[in-house]
Amino acid sequence: MLPWYVADEVIQRALKEDAHYLDLSCAYLFEPAQAGRAYLLANAAGVMCGGEIFTRVFTLLDSSIEANVLVKDGGTFQTGDTLLELEGPIAVLLQGERTALNLLQHLCGVAMLTSQVVSAVEGSGALVCDTRKTLPGLRALQKYAVTCGGGRNHRFNLSDGVMLKDNHIDACGSIAQAVQRVRAKIGHMFKIEVETRNLDEVKQALAAGADVIMLDNMTVDEMREAVQYVRANEKAPVPLEASGDITLENAREIALTGVNILSLGALTHSVKAANISMRMVT
C-alpha cells in the first residue's frame, strides 16, 4: 500500500475540487449527526483496488466513519458481490460518494485490465509493465493498481533510470554517442535503456552496451528477429522490452517472440472504469 501522505494529497485535492466548502444538497436535507449505512455493490466482475483509498475519502471528511472492507486489494469479485460497508453521518456518506467512487472505479479498472493482460501472456515468461503515460496527479495510485492486477512498475519518474528515446538519440546524433555521454556521468546504481525502431538500431544499442533494449512499434516478425540477434550476440543477458500498440488481443503473440517485458500505456491511460455503485441502506 502507498504511504498515506501520498494518497491523502490526491484525495484532499479531489475533495476540494468536488465539495469545495459546502454540499448544498446534504446541508439542507440532513442533520449533521443523522446516521446511516451504505455498501458498495459490484455490478460486474472485476479486480479490487482502492478499498482503503475509498474509505479514506470518508474518514478525512469525518473521523467517526466506520468501514469494513470485504474484498481486499488484488482480490477478485463477481456481479452482485458486496465489496465494502460504511457507517456514519448520512451527510458525510453522500458528500464523499462521488469522489470515492471516481477513484475506486478507475483503480479497479486499471487492476482489471492489467490482470487480463497478465493472464493473456501466462506461460511466456514475459512481464507486464506500466509506463509513464499516467493521468496527471494519479501516477502513484495508478501504478499501485497495476501491481494489484499482477503487473510490474516501470519508471515512476525521470529520476528512476535513464531511457534514451528516439528524440534523445536524434538530438544527440547517434545511439553510441548518447550511451557514451550518459555512461560517463551516470551513477553506478542506474541502468540505461535504449529505445530502438529497427534491427539496425538494436545492433547499435547492443554494441553501445545498453543495459535494456526497447523494441518500439516493431512488427512481431521484427521483434522475433531482434530477439534472435540479441540472444546470439549478447555477452551478458540483456532484457528486451516490447512497447507500442500492445493490446489485450495481441499481447500473447508479442510475448511469444521471446521478449522479456511488455510495457503498455493503455494500462493507465485508456482503461474502462469498473462498474461499481454505492447504495444507502434504507
Side-chain angles (χ1 to χ4, degrees):
M1 184 54 201
L2 294 169
W4 280 120
Y5 67 83
V6 175
D8 282 357
E9 183 179 3
V10 176
I11 295 169
Q12 289 169 344
R13 185 166 58 246
L15 284 171
K16 289 176 183 178
E17 179 181 64
D18 196 40
H20 199 43
Y21 66 93
L22 180 65
D23 177 356
L24 288 174
S25 303
C26 289
Y28 299 114
L29 277 177
F30 307 106
E31 294 298 323
Q34 188 175 346
R37 291 185 294 133
Y39 64 96
L40 275 182
L41 177 67
N43 300 309
V47 176
M48 186 65 168
C49 179
E52 298 295 337
I53 297 293
F54 183 90
T55 61
R56 187 72 165 179
V57 172
F58 297 96
T59 56
L60 284 176
L61 289 170
D62 188 328
S63 60
S64 73
I65 294 289
E66 296 183 1
N68 180 24
V69 179
L70 301 175
V71 181
K72 303 300 182 182
D73 285 0
T76 59
F77 54 82
Q78 302 300 318
T79 303
D81 285 353
T82 298
L83 309 179
L84 186 150
E85 298 170 332
L86 290 170
E87 186 171 353
I90 293 177
V92 175
L93 296 179
L94 294 176
Q95 181 181 354
E97 176 186 2
R98 185 69 267 156
T99 296
L101 279 174
N102 284 348
L103 291 169
L104 181 79
Q105 289 173 321
H106 178 69
L107 295 179
C108 286
V110 172
M112 181 62 171
L113 179 56
T114 303
S115 176
Q116 290 172 329
V117 179
V118 169
S119 295
V121 304
E122 186 176 3
S124 69
L127 302 177
V128 175
C129 290
D130 51 32
T131 70
R132 284 171 42 246
K133 296 177 182 178
T134 54
L135 300 181
L138 292 181
R139 178 171 296 176
L141 295 183
Q142 289 185 307
K143 283 182 171 285
Y144 168 67
V146 167
T147 67
C148 288
R152 305 290 183 91
N153 293 144
H154 210 292
R155 294 188 298 173
F156 269 76
N157 55 58
L158 295 172
S159 300
D160 282 345
V162 176
M163 180 182 288
L164 302 177
K165 300 178 72 65
D166 53 358
N167 284 332
H168 294 98
I169 295 164
D170 292 343
C172 188
S174 72
I175 290 174
Q177 289 184 39
V179 172
Q180 183 178 12
R181 287 185 191 178
V182 172
R183 187 74 75 189
K185 297 180 180 180
I186 199 69
H188 70 285
M189 296 294 290
F190 297 101
K191 292 185 176 182
I192 300 175
E193 179 169 5
V194 175
E195 179 183 279
T196 61
R197 295 164 285 192
N198 51 58
L199 183 58
D200 182 58
E201 290 187 347
V202 170
K203 293 177 180 179
Q204 293 178 47
L206 187 63
D211 298 305
V212 184
I213 298 176
M214 176 186 287
L215 313 179
D216 188 51
N217 284 303
M218 293 188 188
T219 66
V220 170
D221 289 339
E222 288 173 332
M223 282 188 275
R224 189 176 294 111
E225 187 177 6
V227 169
Q228 292 172 351
Y229 177 84
V230 171
R231 297 297 172 246
N233 292 276
E234 62 189 358
K235 295 179 181 179
V238 177
L240 296 173
E241 174 185 341
S243 184
D245 293 326
I246 301 176
T247 66
L248 178 59
E249 290 71 27
N250 66 17
R252 184 164 187 82
E253 184 181 17
I254 291 172
L256 292 176
T257 63
V259 295
N260 307 98
I261 303 156
L262 276 69
S263 58
L264 293 80
L267 296 182
T268 50
H269 69 54
S270 297
V271 298
K272 181 179 180 181
N275 192 348
I276 300 170
S277 57
M278 190 177 102
R279 302 287 178 84
M280 295 297 297
V281 177
T282 56

